[in-house]
Amino acid sequence: QDSAAVLEDVHGHQLRIGADAGFREWVLYAPTDRPVVVLEPYTCTTDAPNLANRGLDSGLIVLPGGGRWQGRIVLRFAHAA
């Protein structure tokens, strides 16, 4: 894994998220109307298509028809001791 994050609740339970180098960005989502937090590895930045059109390195991956891309994300859950 090339990057990682850990979420831990008040009871000490942990969710460890690891991602390979293909996922160069992370998004944190925490809506104000729900008691949740989400960490998600992304391959590109927000608004990547528009940034790429302006010549900026957004990480956008464009696949031809039938093309494939592969990355690795690992999730590990640990119970509180």
Side-chain angles (χ1 to χ4, degrees):
Q1 83 192 25
D2 291 273
S3 63
V6 178
L7 292 174
E8 185 173 330
D9 70 10
V10 296
H11 305 289
H13 299 105
Q14 289 186 347
L15 175 62
R16 295 180 176 271
I17 308 164
D20 68 26
F23 298 92
R24 57 178 250 177
E25 311 290 339
W26 285 79
V27 172
L28 172 65
Y29 177 65
T32 57
D33 61 337
R34 294 187 294 166
V36 299
V37 173
V38 179
L39 278 173
E40 185 177 356
Y42 270 29
T43 58
C44 58
T45 64
T46 302
D47 201 28
N50 290 320
L51 293 172
N53 283 339
R54 292 178 26 212
L56 300 171
D57 178 16
S58 64
L60 183 66
I61 299 170
V62 179
L63 297 175
R68 291 181 175 212
W69 182 88
Q70 183 173 322
R72 181 174 171 89
I73 298 173
V74 177
L75 303 175
R76 291 190 174 95
F77 183 77
H79 296 281

